[in-house]
Amino acid sequence: MQNATNDSSGDSLRARHLRITEPSPWVRRFAPLITRGGTVLDMACGGGRHARHLLAQGHPVVAVDKDIDPLADLADDPGAEIIRHDLEDGGPWPFPGRTFAGIIVVNYLYRPLFSDLLNSVAPGGVLIYETFARGNEVFSRPRNPDHLLKSGELLDLVHGRMQVIAYEHGIVEKGPIPGVIQRLCAVNDRDASQREDGEPEPHKVHPDTPSS
Ligand SMILES: C[S@@+](CC[C@H](N)C(=O)[O-])C[C@H]1O[C@@H](n2cnc3c(N)ncnc32)[C@H](O)[C@@H]1O
């Protein structure tokens, strides 16, 4: 068990996270890299703040969590596929053979899913990942090292497979939950180069929102 919610008093930690309704600035910043209209998977979506943001940007969204009660209002949204699923019960990956134009994971960590997660990013798709990292224990929960990324861990995860657009690791003092946070945005286009040197095409590190 390695997520931000199942430290001791995990329920209250989840409640604390559910009170945050604004999407993460990191997700806001990089969501425009996702192919317009492409389907986005919001892993361990909680109250669906990122699912809602992506829906508002015109993306169909698959939102998965073991508790989908907070997403009841999205049940009739034709763009939203809400899936109740325990991602840690040892069962098979819930999206076999399916790929997504974008995958968002925020404040959730369960390392056994890493391989399926990467395999589910479509060619040209975008992985946006942000969660707590080692050192966070002096700020607040999660404190269990199993729930905290190691320095460079997300870089290691995508190394040789995806083009890293942005990465940060360190103390974030501003925001709803100050702490040590690691963030990555990477694009699955390392093998799609049209260039003579084989390098992938660069992307904007401050992509515009579709409406701007
Ligand atoms: C800290 S919240 C983050 C929610 C959301 N990603 C966000 O940033 O607002 C962690 C979420 O992981 C979900 N979660 C924890 N364990 C899970 C499991 N085994 N299977 C599916 N979801 C799980 C919790 O229900 C909770 O909604």
Side-chain angles (χ1 to χ4, degrees):
M1 301 287 257
Q2 304 172 350
N3 64 65
T5 61
N6 50 21
D7 270 350
S8 59
S9 305
D11 286 347
S12 62
L13 182 61
R14 182 170 190 272
R16 184 179 175 198
H17 280 264
L18 287 179
R19 283 196 293 274
I20 306 167
T21 54
E22 283 295 307
S24 149
W26 190 256
V27 174
R28 260 187 200 279
R29 174 175 163 189
F30 291 107
L33 288 182
I34 302 169
T35 302
R36 194 170 292 202
T39 300
V40 176
L41 172 63
D42 185 0
M43 285 277 295
C45 60
R49 59 185 172 133
H50 301 114
R52 294 169 200 279
H53 178 67
L54 272 299
L55 280 167
Q57 304 299 317
H59 292 277
V61 169
V62 177
V64 59
D65 201 288
K66 66 180 180 183
D67 179 358
I68 56 171
D69 292 351
L71 292 101
D73 60 303
L74 293 179
D76 296 328
D77 188 319
E81 190 181 336
I82 312 294
I83 298 174
R84 186 190 302 276
H85 184 84
D86 186 340
L87 292 160
E88 302 172 19
D89 66 359
W93 175 243
F95 310 107
R98 192 169 176 187
T99 59
F100 299 91
I103 297 185
I104 312 282
V105 191
V106 176
N107 296 345
Y108 179 76
L109 177 61
Y110 186 61
R111 292 182 173 89
L113 299 176
F114 275 176
S115 171
D116 285 316
L117 201 62
L118 280 200
N119 290 336
S120 300
V121 183
V126 181
L127 174 66
I128 303 174
Y129 206 132
E130 172 180 47
T131 196
F132 298 97
R134 302 287 167 99
N136 191 71
E137 59 276 1
V138 301
F139 288 85
S140 65
R141 283 177 285 126
R143 294 194 169 92
N144 183 334
D146 286 346
H147 305 169
L148 301 171
L149 287 164
K150 297 175 192 166
S151 161
E153 190 169 352
L154 291 177
L155 285 176
D156 292 344
L157 176 67
V158 302
H159 180 72
R161 291 192 58 169
M162 299 179 74
Q163 178 182 188
V164 175
I165 309 303
Y167 170 81
E168 289 184 357
H169 172 103
I171 298 169
V172 177
E173 290 167 308
K174 290 183 182 165
I177 306 182
V180 179
I181 289 172
Q182 190 172 131
R183 306 161 158 158
L184 173 114
C185 174
V187 179
N188 187 20
D189 62 358
R190 270 184 65 94
D191 301 328
S193 177
Q194 303 295 317
R195 295 167 50 103
E196 278 188 8
D197 62 4
E199 280 294 301
E201 296 294 333
H203 299 275
K204 291 182 180 178
V205 294
H206 291 282
D208 303 327
T209 57
S211 55
S212 65

